[in-house]
Amino acid sequence: MEALKMNLDDLTRLGSCLQNNLIVVAFGSICLIFSLIIYFLIRPRPVYLIDFSCYRAPDNHKASKTMFMEHSRQFGVFDESSLDFQEKISKRSGVGDEAYLPEAVRHIPPRPTIALAREEAEMVMFGALDNLFANTKLNPKDIDILVVNCALFNPAPSLSAMIVNKYKLRTDIVSFNLGGMGCSAGVIAVGLAKDLLQVYRNCNAVVVSTEIITLNWYKGNEKSMLISNCIFRVGGAAMLLSNKSSDKRRAKYKLLHVVRTHLGADTKAFNALRQQQDGEGNVGVLLTRDVSPISGKALKINMTKLGPLVLPISEQLLYLATLIVNKLFNEKVKPYVPDFRSAFDHFCIHAGGRAIIDELEKNLKLSPEEVEASRMTLHRFGNTSSSSIWYELGYIESKKKMRKGNRVWQIGLGGGFKCNSAVWVALRDIKPALNCAWSDCIDKYPVHLET
């Protein structure tokens, strides 16, 4: 009825009001649409791990502790003191009798040539990649990004170029070759792939992590440089990552976080693990007594950065409360150490040696079951450098312990000195991978380790 009473002026004012409101609504809608477009363009893209493959060398490359010592004696370069030292380290190292050595090192005398080092690299990298391609049905020509890491063997053309040549990859492949970054470089390589997958849309990335032993077998009598001979063994892993939403259904894991810690500014940490020559000119890797405590220090710093990203709020509040008490009341209350077991279901600690695993087990207050994958990987495959965390993940999968929603913490430690973390969440219950490196022996594990 009121509408019938409206005159021409009232209708004019109503029309003007509606017109102004429509302009406001239209402008607001345009801003909203524009904001949504910007958000979808710049938001972090999920990164999925489709699958991974760990290399297992042929049985004729196995090197028992007895064979290792027999060969060391027949080399004719080690004095009795060095032989006794190597035997003692081998027995205490946690490395079993089935880990692998390259043919060049098994030969008497050793033949450390670039040609044989390339053969070892091809054997490991191509072996892991062939298995990955078979399991994922990936055509090598569909690879968009390739990242390879190997600390000590960096030939020209590079290891990444060797892969490009072998599989005839595309001319527009985005490839990187990371060298000299130590045993923690596997996480660095994943982090680089993650960053690249934020830039390149609708792409996949293949990461290859390995260490080549042939040219790095130490032939001197410096005891701190002989340790690497006793623990490093043949190994490597290849991983397929993707940012394609269509790959989520077939992916095993989603990458949640990569956190890196670098103590290179501290000279003591910088010199804890390094490649150098001894007094007679023999090249080797020096491991000082500082490696274990520095590993613990690097881990604690890394945990401080990682904690706020993964810990339940209750753990963070307890930690904050002790800091406040100490600050405000000048009380010497021991800082609360957060329980990272409340954030993770599985732990993959770099299998760098028995002492490294012991140190991290103590710092993280883990149970023997929670470090089982690391100890068994060290026993079965030795220290495979940056790839060891993938053998450990393979062990957990082979034991059928990975369930949907489980969180995994991979911890890489290496020269520099660095501690790097990668956090994954399982997108489904994980079945043991086809042709897994553990497939022929998983029923034997866990094994009892001598103290």
Side-chain angles (χ1 to χ4, degrees):
M1 295 297 293
E2 292 295 326
L4 295 175
K5 299 178 181 179
M6 295 178 66
N7 55 34
L8 184 61
D9 291 337
D10 292 332
L11 291 174
T12 302
R13 285 195 296 270
L14 177 62
S16 177
C17 182
L18 288 173
Q19 186 178 17
N20 291 335
N21 284 339
L22 283 173
I23 292 173
V24 171
V25 170
F27 181 75
S29 299
I30 291 171
C31 289
L32 177 61
I33 293 171
F34 183 74
S35 298
L36 288 172
I37 291 172
I38 295 296
Y39 169 75
F40 282 107
L41 287 175
I42 67 173
R43 68 182 175 125
R45 296 184 179 88
V47 174
Y48 303 108
L49 174 63
I50 308 302
D51 206 348
F52 65 96
S53 174
C54 297
Y55 177 71
R56 185 178 66 209
D59 286 347
N60 62 358
H61 282 66
K62 288 182 179 178
S64 67
K65 289 188 282 291
T66 300
M67 190 217 80
F68 170 78
M69 288 310 304
E70 287 177 354
H71 277 226
S72 295
R73 290 188 177 90
Q74 292 180 48
F75 289 165
V77 297
F78 303 120
D79 57 33
E80 283 301 317
S81 176
S82 295
L83 290 169
D84 290 343
F85 177 78
Q86 289 185 85
E87 186 167 26
K88 181 172 68 174
I89 293 297
S90 295
K91 289 179 179 179
R92 298 178 180 178
S93 66
V95 180
D97 287 331
E98 295 192 314
Y100 306 97
L101 284 174
E103 189 59 38
V105 174
R106 290 169 51 83
H107 190 270
I108 301 176
R111 297 183 294 175
T113 66
I114 290 180
L116 290 177
R118 281 186 172 274
E119 285 187 15
E120 181 191 348
E122 291 171 354
M123 176 182 73
V124 175
M125 296 192 305
F126 300 164
L129 285 167
D130 286 345
N131 199 39
L132 180 70
F133 296 152
N135 291 347
T136 60
K137 311 302 181 187
L138 176 69
N139 184 334
K141 293 186 181 298
D142 292 332
I143 298 174
D144 302 301
I145 299 166
L146 173 66
V147 181
V148 180
N149 73 270
C150 181
L152 299 179
F153 181 55
N154 292 286
S158 66
L159 296 177
S160 61
M162 290 167 61
I163 293 173
V164 172
N165 177 259
K166 163 69 175 178
Y167 296 102
K168 309 305 177 189
L169 303 186
R170 303 196 316 259
T171 56
D172 63 345
I173 185 79
V174 178
S175 65
F176 294 85
N177 200 94
L178 306 181
M181 302 194 77
C183 299
S184 66
V187 175
I188 296 174
V190 168
L192 174 58
K194 174 186 76 74
D195 292 342
L196 292 168
L197 288 171
Q198 299 305 309
V199 177
Y200 296 91
R201 300 176 62 85
N202 202 37
C203 288
N204 61 51
V206 169
V207 176
V208 179
S209 296
T210 188
E211 192 60 75
I212 304 306
I213 298 173
T214 294
L215 288 179
N216 298 290
W217 193 254
Y218 178 59
K219 300 177 292 297
N221 290 284
E222 187 70 37
K223 290 182 173 58
S224 56
M225 296 172 71
L226 283 167
I227 298 174
S228 60
N229 286 6
C230 303
I231 59 176
F232 280 92
R233 296 294 182 265
V234 170
M239 295 68 72
L240 173 60
L241 305 175
S242 172
N243 62 12
K244 302 176 184 179
S245 57
S246 59
D247 279 335
K248 182 179 179 179
R249 289 176 296 176
R250 69 184 186 120
K252 285 185 172 183
Y253 305 92
K254 178 182 176 182
L255 181 61
L256 299 181
H257 308 287
V258 173
V259 175
R260 295 171 57 180
T261 299
H262 202 312
L263 300 186
D266 182 331
T267 302
K268 189 175 182 180
F270 177 76
N271 290 317
L273 191 158
R274 62 185 299 161
Q275 185 184 33
Q276 64 179 42
Q277 288 179 308
D278 65 12
E280 297 178 353
N282 298 303
V283 177
V285 177
L286 171 72
L287 286 86
T288 71
R289 296 178 181 272
D290 297 323
V291 168
S292 290
I294 287 173
S295 296
K297 178 182 178 181
L299 174 67
K300 290 176 181 177
I301 296 173
N302 192 266
M303 288 165 56
T304 302
K305 296 169 63 179
L306 181 65
L309 301 175
V310 299
L311 285 171
I313 190 66
S314 57
E315 290 294 313
Q316 296 188 51
L317 289 174
L318 285 170
Y319 175 71
L320 182 61
T322 59
L323 294 181
I324 293 174
V325 169
N326 284 333
K327 186 72 173 178
L328 296 181
F329 303 102
N330 200 25
E331 297 286 341
K332 294 184 178 179
V333 178
K334 187 176 181 181
Y336 176 74
V337 179
D339 183 4
F340 276 79
R341 292 176 300 177
S342 63
F344 299 107
D345 302 282
H346 305 285
F347 299 82
C348 297
I349 300 168
H350 167 51
R354 193 169 195 166
I356 295 292
I357 298 173
D358 288 346
E359 183 73 18
L360 269 66
E361 179 183 15
K362 180 182 70 174
N363 286 334
L364 292 171
K365 299 182 179 179
L366 301 179
S367 67
E369 291 74 21
E370 288 166 325
V371 294
E372 181 181 305
S374 300
R375 293 197 187 283
M376 295 307 106
T377 293
L378 181 63
H379 182 272
R380 177 62 182 84
F381 295 99
N383 180 349
T384 60
S385 190
S386 57
S387 67
S388 69
I389 54 178
W390 296 103
Y391 285 90
E392 292 161 16
L393 189 56
Y395 179 89
I396 295 168
E397 291 185 357
S398 296
K399 282 296 183 180
K400 302 178 182 179
K401 294 181 178 181
M402 191 64 68
R403 297 287 181 265
K404 183 178 179 178
N406 282 182
R407 293 196 173 200
V408 185
W409 184 9
Q410 290 182 316
I411 306 172
L413 296 156
F417 193 90
K418 299 182 287 292
C419 176
N420 302 317
S421 294
V423 179
W424 307 86
V425 61
L427 299 177
R428 53 186 167 87
D429 292 353
I430 308 296
K431 297 178 181 179
L434 298 173
N435 305 317
C436 174
W438 292 94
S439 59
D440 69 333
C441 61
I442 193 62
D443 292 338
K444 302 176 186 177
Y445 285 88
V447 298
H448 174 72
L449 301 176
E450 295 180 8
T451 57

